[in-house]
Amino acid sequence: MISPSGPVRVKSILMHQSPVEKRRRRSSALSKQAPTNGFKIPTENLSSEFANYLVSFGAQEIVDDYALDLGTYTTAPDSPENIQHNDDGTVKSATIEKLIENMLRDSSQEIQHIFFATYTSFTTSSKVSSIILSMYLPNGEDLTEAQKDSNKTIIELFIYWVSNYGQEICDNTLFSLLLFSAVANNNELNEALSCACKVRDKYGLAASLPLSMDWNSYLDSLPKTEEPEVEDEEEEEAEEEEENDDASPIIPDSWDGVTLDVLEWSPKELARQLTLVEQEYFSRIQTRECINDNFEKRRESKAPNISRLVDHFNSTSRWIVATILREEDSERRVLLLQHFIELASELIDFHNYQSLMAVGAAFNNSALFRLSNLWSQLDEEYIDIVEYMRELLDPSKKFKNLRAAMESPDSTPCIPYIGVIMSDLSAIESLYNELIDELVNFNKKRMSTKVLRSVQTYQKYKYPFERIPSLCECLKDTVLDSNDFSLLSEQELHKMSLSVQPRK
Amino acid sequence: MDCDVLYKVVVIGDSGVGKSNLITRFTQGKFSKDSKPTIGVEFGAKTIEHEGITIKGQIWDTAGQERFRAISAAYYRGANGALIVYDITNQETFNNLNKWFKEIENQGENGCLNVLVGNKCDLDHLRQVQTEDGRTFAEKHNVSFMETSAQDNTNVDLAFTSLLKEIYKNQKKGKKTGGNTGGDSSAEKGKEINLHEPVAQPTEDDKKCGC
C-alpha cells in the first residue's frame, strides 16, 4: 500500500538561521536560505506566505524538531507478533503501526473511532502523527490511483482527528500538522487546524508553544471558517424557542431573582430549571474526561467539566439536606420534604437521572435519614415515590434498575447518572490488561469507546424548557456557596439533625 | 436461599487503589485480564463456610464513583462491614484515610465492622507507606489491618473472610446478649437480606439512627 520514497524535510529550509537574524530577514527568508544538508523542500508544496510566516517568527529553532518524514514508512507483513484477531475477525490486539495501517484500510471507520478516542492511553499524539505522516507519499506526479486514495484517506484521518480531538494534540504535533497542511495544501485540513488552534486559545489549554508565536495572524490568513461551536446561554435560549404551552415557566410573584424559597416554586418548575442546569454541565463534558485516570489524577487540567458536574451533584444533594434541616417550623419541614419528593417525581418523568440521584443521595444522607419523626409524617403517596426511587437508584447489581431505565428507548431526552458510566470505565481500566503479548489490547479500547460513545449520544438530547436564568444561577454551585449551603460539613449537618430530633 | 446468613460489605478508598481487583480476585478467583471486557457485570458475591454454616458475602464496589461523595450514604446503608483500602505505593491514598474513616463514621451503620487494607504489597520496591504506619493507623482506629496483593493473591481471601467471620461472631454475641452493640439493630439485617431484592431499604417504621 505504501512504498518508501524520499523524505521531505521541512526543517532543512530554515535550519541555520540564528534567532537574532530572524526578525531582520523576515520578508525574504525562504529564497535566501541555503540549506546545508542537501535536502530541499519543493517550494511548490509549501505556500510561500506560510513559509515566510514561519521564518518571520524565527521558526528554525522549532522546525529543527519537526522533520516531516513523508513517505518513509515500510510495512511489515502481518504476524502474531504485530497483530491478533478475534474470532469474528475484528482486531484483538496490535502494534500502533498495524492499528494505523488497518485504520487506513477500514472503510467502516470503526478502528478510526476507537483509536482516536483512546490513543492517549497507549501512545502520544506525536508518535501517531509521525507514523501517519510517514505513510503519506509526496510528489504528486508518479502516484498510482491507489496511492492517491491512500493519501486522501490520510488527510481525512487528520481532519477527523483534529476536528474531534484537536484539544488533545500536543503543541509540537499540532505544529507538524500545520507544516503538513502547507505541504498537502488542503483547505478542509487547514480549516480543521484553524478551529483547533482557536479553541485551544479560547480555553487557554496550550498557550505554551515553543516560541510565542502570533497564531492568530497566521490563522486569519487561512481560508475563513465558521467559529467552533461554543455553548452560550443565549444560544440555548434561542434553541428552546419552540416550547409548547405546558412548558411555559411558572414564576412565583414573590421571586426577587435572588432569594430562593423552595416552597414558592412549583416542583415542576424547579425540576425543569435543575434539568437545564444539569444539561448545561453535562453537555460540556469532553467524553475523555470520564476516564478515571484523567478525572482523578489530573483533575483540574484534564477534567474541568466533569469536576464541575460532580461538584454540582454533591452540592445539590447537600443543599437539599440543609434546606430541610434549617427549617425550624416542623410543619414546613414536612412540606419541604414533600416538595423535594415531588421534585424527584418530576425528574423521573424528565429522565434526568443525574439530578434524581442527587435528590436520592440527600434522602439517604444519615442526617436526614435518621429523622424518623419527619419521615413518619409523610402520606402514603409520598412514601410510594420514595420507595420507587430507592428501587430505581439502588446501587446493588451495578445499578441494574437504573441502567434499564437509562437505556430504555422511551427515556429520551435523558441525562444519565454519570457515576454508572464512570464505574464502567473504571472497571474496564482496572480489570483488563493494557497489553496482550506486548500488543495494544484493542478489545479493551473498543469497550471503553463504546461506553464513551454512549455519553455522546446522551449529550445530543435537548430539553424544550424555557430557561429562567436567575433561578438557574441560584441552582448553580456558586450561589449555593454564597448561601453557605454547600459549605456545611457533614458534622454541621449532623449537629442540625440532632437539634431537629435528639438522639433517643 | 443458598446461604444461612448474608452480609453486605462495602469496599471504599481512593480511586486507583485496586478495589475492583480485590473484589474480582476474591469472588472470581483467577480472572483472565486478557479476556474480552464486559460492562455492567457484577462480580460481587461469594459464599464461605464457617463453623458449619454458610455465610454469603455481598461485596459492593464503589470504584469510579469516589468523587460522588453524596452517594456514599446509599452504599453504607445496611452495610455490615467495610474494607477501607489504600495503595502502599501511593502515600496520598494513605493520607486520605482520615477522610474515609470520617465518612463511614458519619454515614455508616453503627456496628459496621471495618478492616484496613494496604493493597499492592507485591510492589514492595515502589512502597511509600511502611507496614508499621498502616498498623499504627489501624490500632488508633481500633480496626484490624493487613496488607494484600490482588495481583499475586496475597491475603485477599483472608481480608474478606476474616471480616465476614468477625461480623458473624459479633452478630452471634449480639443475639446472645439480646441486643446489639451501639443500640442499632442494623447488624441483624444480615439475616433479612434477600439476594433478589435490594438490600433492605428502610421504611418510615424501621428508620435507624446512624448516630
Side-chain angles (χ1 to χ4, degrees):
Chain A
M1 178 185 64
I2 293 154
S3 70
S5 162
V8 174
R9 293 192 179 273
V10 174
K11 71 172 179 184
S12 61
I13 57 160
L14 303 162
M15 263 184 102
H16 297 282
Q17 191 182 27
S18 81
V20 190
E21 281 173 307
K22 67 170 188 211
R23 303 250 170 224
R24 270 179 259 144
R25 295 189 168 199
R26 186 173 281 236
S27 58
S28 57
L30 186 64
S31 54
K32 284 181 186 167
Q33 282 303 298
T36 54
N37 61 359
F39 292 104
K40 192 174 184 307
I41 191 159
T43 43
E44 67 271 18
N45 277 345
L46 184 64
S47 76
S48 56
E49 306 95 77
F50 180 62
N52 279 334
Y53 180 83
L54 294 180
V55 174
S56 73
F57 288 98
Q60 74 283 357
E61 280 185 345
I62 322 164
V63 172
D64 282 354
D65 299 329
Y66 294 88
L68 295 185
D69 287 324
L70 301 182
T72 54
Y73 186 75
T74 43
T75 180
D78 284 5
S79 75
E81 278 79 52
N82 57 37
I83 186 163
Q84 295 179 7
H85 292 89
N86 295 309
D87 293 341
D88 61 3
T90 52
V91 177
K92 176 186 173 191
S93 57
T95 59
I96 298 160
E97 285 81 0
K98 281 292 163 193
L99 287 176
I100 295 174
E101 274 185 31
N102 277 272
M103 184 156 78
L104 286 170
R105 271 187 236 130
D106 170 31
S107 55
S108 74
Q109 300 182 329
E110 192 226 0
I111 299 178
Q112 168 184 335
H113 291 147
I114 300 168
F115 184 89
F116 284 117
T118 58
Y119 77 88
T120 51
S121 63
F122 54 86
T123 184
T124 61
S125 60
S126 88
K127 176 107 196 259
V128 172
S129 87
S130 67
I131 294 172
I132 303 180
L133 286 171
S134 74
M135 293 176 173
Y136 185 90
L137 299 168
N139 306 325
E141 318 94 63
D142 307 327
L143 298 182
T144 65
E145 282 308 309
Q147 288 171 326
K148 281 183 193 160
D149 281 351
S150 166
N151 273 356
K152 222 176 104 196
T153 312
I154 285 173
I155 291 174
E156 282 164 6
L157 271 190
F158 280 136
I159 294 169
Y160 173 83
W161 184 18
V162 172
S163 322
N164 290 283
Y165 300 103
Q167 75 280 6
E168 294 163 352
I169 299 175
C170 75
D171 294 343
N172 291 1
T173 305
L174 196 65
F175 194 81
S176 300
L177 293 180
L178 283 163
L179 291 178
F180 174 73
S181 83
V183 174
N185 205 12
N186 179 288
N187 273 351
E188 241 187 298
L189 181 58
N190 283 346
E191 283 182 29
L193 284 164
S194 166
C195 276
C197 292
K198 282 184 179 169
V199 169
R200 286 152 86 92
D201 277 357
K202 189 160 231 131
Y203 295 110
L205 285 176
S208 57
L209 279 161
L211 291 175
S212 54
M213 296 182 66
D214 178 8
W215 286 98
N216 286 332
S217 63
Y218 166 62
L219 294 168
D220 287 344
S221 74
L222 292 172
K224 283 281 171 273
T225 177
E226 280 172 41
E227 284 287 312
E229 236 182 275
V230 178
E231 270 161 85
D232 269 341
E233 282 174 23
E234 282 108 343
E235 255 176 62
E236 271 172 36
E237 272 176 293
E239 272 168 30
E240 285 148 17
E241 261 172 36
E242 356 157 353
E243 90 246 10
N244 51 40
D245 288 343
D246 188 43
S248 299
I250 315 156
I251 305 177
D253 297 336
S254 62
W255 177 235
D256 64 359
V258 185
T259 325
L260 176 54
D261 182 347
V262 171
L263 290 178
E264 290 284 315
W265 289 85
S266 77
K268 186 177 201 132
E269 198 51 62
L270 284 173
R272 282 177 186 157
Q273 301 303 319
L274 194 56
T275 300
L276 290 176
V277 169
E278 203 74 76
Q279 164 140 18
E280 185 187 323
Y281 286 124
F282 179 61
S283 64
R284 285 190 181 155
I285 295 175
Q286 303 284 328
T287 49
R288 194 151 324 146
E289 293 183 47
C290 302
I291 292 180
N292 222 19
D293 214 37
N294 289 338
F295 179 53
E296 283 296 329
K297 292 186 186 138
R298 280 174 283 180
R299 169 167 134 89
E300 272 68 38
S301 59
K302 298 276 272 190
N305 299 302
I306 202 152
S307 297
R308 222 166 289 143
L309 181 104
V310 171
D311 291 345
H312 175 68
F313 174 89
N314 289 327
S315 69
T316 301
S317 191
R318 193 161 289 192
W319 166 67
I320 293 169
V321 177
T323 304
I324 296 171
L325 291 181
R326 308 188 140 182
E327 178 56 60
E328 287 171 2
D329 183 284
S330 65
E331 270 170 41
R332 269 176 67 91
R333 206 180 300 127
V334 178
L335 290 179
L336 274 168
L337 177 59
Q338 288 177 351
H339 217 68
F340 282 118
I341 295 170
E342 284 177 52
L343 168 74
S345 171
E346 298 289 343
L347 293 171
I348 294 170
D349 285 349
F350 297 159
H351 314 296
N352 175 357
Y353 300 113
Q354 176 76 8
S355 300
L356 181 68
M357 188 61 87
V359 182
F363 293 170
N364 257 315
N365 187 298
S366 59
L368 194 54
F369 187 86
R370 61 176 287 278
L371 300 178
S372 50
N373 294 348
L374 174 66
W375 292 93
S376 64
Q377 289 180 69
L378 288 179
D379 290 338
E380 201 162 327
E381 54 180 303
Y382 291 104
I383 294 168
D384 286 349
I385 300 172
V386 173
E387 282 307 309
Y388 179 81
M389 277 173 76
R390 289 211 165 110
E391 221 160 283
L392 180 64
L393 304 180
D394 177 20
S396 66
K397 308 207 169 169
K398 296 233 165 195
F399 295 98
K400 185 166 166 258
N401 300 336
L402 186 58
R403 273 173 203 277
M406 275 160 42
E407 284 157 17
S408 156
D410 305 329
S411 293
T412 56
C414 171
I415 302 175
Y417 169 54
I418 322 290
V420 172
I421 290 160
M422 292 182 55
S423 63
D424 281 347
L425 287 167
S426 157
I428 297 168
E429 282 306 303
S430 64
L431 291 180
Y432 300 95
N433 284 331
E434 271 297 295
L435 301 175
I436 302 178
D437 304 334
E438 304 297 306
L439 303 174
V440 175
N441 182 354
F442 207 58
N443 279 345
K444 177 174 175 173
K445 304 301 157 194
R446 186 178 287 111
M447 191 50 89
S448 299
T449 307
K450 190 177 162 193
V451 178
L452 294 176
R453 286 175 83 83
S454 74
V455 176
Q456 289 167 335
T457 307
Y458 289 121
Q459 284 180 322
K460 287 189 189 120
Y461 300 134
K462 292 270 178 276
Y463 284 88
F465 309 140
E466 190 176 324
R467 196 183 181 91
I468 306 172
S470 51
L471 180 57
C472 283
E473 284 311 307
C474 262
L475 294 170
K476 282 186 187 176
D477 305 348
T478 45
V479 177
L480 297 180
D481 278 345
S482 70
N483 284 349
D484 281 349
F485 277 126
S486 57
L487 297 178
L488 289 170
S489 70
E490 286 297 329
Q491 273 87 348
E492 284 168 306
L493 289 177
H494 266 268
K495 240 184 259 165
M496 286 163 76
S497 175
L498 285 172
S499 70
V500 170
Q501 180 180 328
R503 226 175 291 211
K504 277 175 202 162
Chain B
M1 271 219 277
D2 53 354
C3 58
D4 299 318
V5 285
L6 178 79
Y7 298 133
K8 172 178 168 181
V9 171
V10 59
V11 181
I12 58 175
D14 276 11
S15 165
V17 297
K19 297 187 288 292
S20 304
N21 290 291
L22 281 171
I23 294 171
T24 311
R25 179 59 98 164
F26 173 59
T27 59
Q28 302 293 296
K30 199 154 171 54
F31 171 80
S32 168
K33 300 190 93 183
D34 287 347
S35 60
K36 246 186 175 179
T38 47
I39 51 170
V41 180
E42 193 181 41
F43 304 109
K46 186 170 176 173
T47 307
I48 62 164
E49 299 288 329
H50 177 61
E51 294 179 359
I53 59 143
T54 49
I55 301 175
K56 188 154 196 160
Q58 193 183 45
I59 320 294
W60 290 39
D61 190 0
T62 57
Q65 298 182 80
E66 293 84 351
R67 296 266 174 193
F68 294 82
R69 312 297 303 195
I71 202 190
S72 54
Y75 278 103
Y76 298 145
R77 187 76 54 225
N80 306 95
L83 224 71
I84 303 159
V85 188
Y86 68 93
D87 171 1
I88 65 147
T89 69
N90 184 341
Q91 180 72 40
E92 203 189 327
T93 65
F94 184 76
N95 299 344
N96 283 336
L97 284 177
N98 273 322
K99 189 183 75 181
W100 292 108
F101 273 86
K102 199 170 277 178
E103 187 170 87
I104 201 151
E105 189 184 309
N106 277 321
Q107 297 295 340
E109 304 279 356
N110 244 20
C112 176
L113 282 177
N114 302 332
V115 176
L116 180 63
V117 167
N119 193 31
K120 305 195 189 175
C121 69
D122 56 300
L123 302 175
D124 200 49
H125 56 295
L126 300 172
R127 179 186 286 277
Q128 290 182 358
V129 184
Q130 297 311 313
T131 310
E132 209 35 54
D133 294 341
R135 202 186 312 280
T136 309
F137 189 96
E139 275 164 14
K140 208 176 91 195
H141 287 81
N142 202 19
V143 298
S144 42
F145 167 72
M146 62 197 76
E147 288 192 345
T148 59
S149 162
Q151 184 64 33
D152 61 18
N153 205 9
T154 306
N155 285 346
V156 177
D157 271 21
L158 186 67
F160 284 100
T161 54
S162 65
L163 177 59
L164 290 170
K165 287 174 189 170
E166 193 66 22
I167 294 169
Y168 176 70
K169 202 172 110 192
N170 245 32
Q171 303 266 349
K172 236 169 57 175
K173 204 166 60 189
K175 237 182 270 161
K176 268 186 193 154
T177 56
N180 294 296
T181 47
D184 190 314
S185 58
S186 69
E188 247 170 9
K189 275 192 181 160
K191 293 201 91 176
E192 300 163 15
I193 296 167
N194 178 329
L195 274 188
H196 303 293
E197 291 205 356
V199 170
Q201 295 290 1
T203 62
E204 73 279 13
D205 292 324
D206 72 1
K207 291 263 181 302
K208 312 276 178 345
C209 167
C211 324

